[in-house]
Amino acid sequence: MRVNPSDAAAPESGRSFTTDARRAQIVAAAIETVAELGYARASFAQIAKRAKLSSVRLISYHFDDKEDLFQALVDTVQEQARVAMQPRIRAHTEPAAMLAAYIEANLEFLAEHPVEVRALVDVLANARREDGSPLVSSAGFDTPVALLVQHLRDGQRSGAFRRFDAEAMATAIRASIDAAAGRLASGDDFDPRAYGRELVALFALATRNQEAS
């Protein structure tokens, strides 16, 4: 799971509390439906049934279309990750400790939110328009990679990390974390926390500046 470490809170929606609560109820039902049935079978009828709505028209009232609903699903899980992970990362100031916390926080989120992760991975992989283009935007998942690159370079400048290609290292870190999300989404029986500990040890060795030890 990728998280933008910005402290900025989401802007006020301008909607009423009741409306926001209903939207959240529908998104939660969409997450559960996709996690259980897959995106292809996650119809408005199935989502309305899980949300205990009297009619699918209530979904259409709160969301413009399928794209609007599933973009809200992606944004919701991303925000859940930000809220869960950010305090753990920002509790540290030393580059190596922050990197370890970043990896551990990602895997902890996967371990604690398997339903959300399965839904997110399925939507990002399979939600497509007729022309094959993605139905929803995953732009929010790209910025943190650039921020991870910046963190690695800052660590190199401070002497905490050795010299290496920061973009290649950031890509390797993200790919390793994303592989865990894929395994979890596919139903693979593994321990995300144990996997995370291995990644921490691996990338500590890969990035450590031995001359500064």
Side-chain angles (χ1 to χ4, degrees):
M1 182 60 55
R2 307 182 185 188
V3 61
N4 190 332
S6 170
D7 281 328
E12 293 295 329
S13 66
R15 295 185 294 264
S16 70
F17 175 81
T18 301
T19 297
D20 281 347
R22 178 66 81 183
R23 283 174 59 90
Q25 176 190 6
I26 294 169
V27 170
I31 289 171
E32 294 174 359
T33 302
V34 173
E36 179 180 339
L37 302 178
Y39 170 77
R41 297 172 60 196
S43 65
F44 273 20
Q46 289 287 351
I47 294 168
K49 179 180 178 181
R50 188 173 294 270
K52 296 181 171 59
L53 302 177
S54 60
S55 170
V56 296
R57 287 195 294 270
L58 286 172
I59 298 178
S60 299
Y61 176 80
H62 290 281
F63 296 92
D64 294 339
D65 50 26
K66 198 171 186 179
E67 177 178 348
D68 190 25
L69 173 57
F70 285 101
Q71 185 65 60
L73 182 155
V74 170
D75 294 343
T76 295
V77 179
Q78 174 75 352
E79 177 63 9
Q80 290 174 346
R82 186 191 70 80
V83 170
M85 294 166 54
Q86 197 171 83
R88 296 189 57 175
I89 298 169
R90 293 189 176 276
H92 303 277
T93 57
E94 196 276 328
M98 288 185 71
L99 179 59
Y102 172 80
I103 295 171
E104 289 173 342
N106 269 273
L107 274 297
E108 186 71 21
F109 184 84
L110 297 185
E112 293 183 350
H113 298 82
V115 172
E116 290 84 349
V117 172
R118 282 198 298 271
L120 179 67
V121 170
D122 198 285
V123 168
L124 291 178
N126 298 310
R128 293 289 184 271
R129 298 186 178 89
E130 290 185 3
D131 63 2
S133 62
L135 181 69
V136 298
S137 171
S138 59
F141 290 73
D142 297 329
T143 301
V145 176
L147 294 174
L148 180 56
V149 170
Q150 186 61 53
H151 173 70
L152 294 173
R153 288 174 175 164
D154 288 344
Q156 289 174 321
R157 281 191 289 269
S158 72
F161 297 147
R162 68 176 179 84
R163 292 174 60 88
F164 52 76
D165 185 324
E167 291 187 2
M169 188 68 72
T171 300
I173 293 169
R174 278 292 354 147
S176 298
I177 294 170
D178 292 344
R183 290 178 64 181
L184 192 65
S186 67
D188 193 356
D189 183 19
F190 83 116
D191 184 347
R193 295 182 179 91
Y195 181 92
R197 290 192 292 272
E198 291 295 333
L199 290 189
V200 168
L202 173 64
F203 287 107
L205 291 172
T207 58
R208 185 171 60 201
N209 183 358
Q210 294 183 344
E211 295 179 0
S213 302

